[in-house]
Amino acid sequence: MYVKIRFMKSLQKLLMQESFSREEIVRLLSLEGEEKKELFLRSRTVKLTRVGNKVYFRGLIEFSNICAKDCLYCGIRSSNTKVVRYFATDDQILDAARFAFQNQYSSVVLQSGELSTPAFIDRVDNLLKKIKALSDGKLGITLSCGEQTENTYQRWLDSGAHRYLLRIETSNKSLYEKIHPKNEIHRFEKRLEALNSLRRCGYQVGSGMMIGLPFQTLEDMADDLLFLQKIDVDMVGMGPYIEHEDTPLIEYRHLLSPRAERFDLALKMIAVLRLMMPDINIAAATALQAIDPVGREKAVQIGANVIMPNLTPCEYREEYKLYENKPCLDEDAEACKSCLEARISMSGDEIGYGEWGDSRHFARRKNKKK
Ligand code: 5AD
Ligand code: FES
């Protein structure tokens, strides 16, 4: 009994910290039962005191699934010939952006497979300008189009993008190499350089990883959180890894923990990250919802403050399946919106309509520099 009380006390103390050793993070990621609930209670309190109870919507437009890369985990990898490739028309993309603007989402995320041809770079550049024009400069734009040169990043920033999401996928170089082909375009260092370029250009930078990959350990995940803290990101999107039949990584399916465990681990990662980086924006990844129908709302409860409702034209959604069981394949934007509204208010949070909801961390980082 005495031992138990002492243990509880030290967990209480641990939960009050903002920085943790690798061992401490592993301990937090291993919590179960009542102790896990305490972690979640603490991360919710930190969220409410540091970023408030507002959830910001970013309308997600998956505008193309054409990808030059061949990541071993991803359903739209270039070698997957089962996927019908598409590039939405400018009008479709602008319509989706207009929907976001008219519904006071205040931001869109333009996401695609990775291409770096001049035609692709020009097209994105042109779309950025058009989206800015249709919203009188008011709609915020996040890009998620993979690794590009610093020049391209700068050009897109100048044309209106102000946030960029580029997940590191895993901060463990040897694990990164196991889940990517071994060639020049899939180098770990290249990914790190791209994150540095984004930072130098002045973007609000987002990164993140997949949780529950084959070969990944709790120590790797602890290192992932320490990595995010070290590179001082402004935004994070991380979610469970979900296997996909038509990818090489399916070979290691037998090594995976059950989906429910990966889900649980993803929630704990979000909670611990909220303790470590209290004022960043954390997205409730769509992959959470692929495992649990109310997965994103659960993430919001315990620390996330951004949700990305899908605004991709319905005709393309089936072809943007990065993983199995991807949700909302047939719900149009309007349906997605009302469904989310109801669920968010049930959990005591509020939607930050009409506000950019920029990362407070980014503002603090910029002010420090002045
Ligand atoms: N399971 C979960 N997430 C995935 N992603 C790609 N493939 C999968 C998968 N099988 C994530 C990657 C990528 C983001 C756009 O989608 O982290 O950065
Ligand atoms: Fe497209 Fe990884 S498969 S970027």
Side-chain angles (χ1 to χ4, degrees), residues 67 69-71 74 77 114:
C67 191
K69 280 190 154 173
D70 218 10
C71 306
C74 184
R77 64 197 301 269
E114 189 176 311

Side-chain angles (χ1 to χ4, degrees), residues 71-76 111-112 144 165-169 191 208-211 213 237-244 247 249 262 287 320-324:
C71 306
L72 306 183
Y73 46 84
C74 184
I76 64 164
Q111 190 177 81
S112 68
S144 177
L165 302 175
L166 183 66
R167 288 188 178 178
I168 186 75
E169 314 299 358
R191 180 65 59 113
M209 39 279 300
M210 286 176 286
I211 297 156
L213 285 162
M238 56 185 176
Y241 162 69
I242 301 174
E243 61 277 27
H244 189 298
T247 61
L249 223 58
R262 278 176 262 160
Y320 203 89
K321 272 166 78 176
L322 308 182
Y323 43 81
E324 291 169 7

Side-chain angles (χ1 to χ4, degrees), residues 168-191:
I168 186 75
E169 314 299 358
T170 169
S171 62
N172 176 334
K173 180 168 147 55
S174 74
L175 179 56
Y176 190 95
E177 288 168 355
K178 282 199 182 88
I179 62 170
H180 292 95
K182 290 181 190 24
N183 59 30
E184 180 55 29
I185 58 167
H186 293 89
R187 265 190 324 115
F188 181 67
E189 288 76 13
K190 203 162 165 262
R191 180 65 59 113

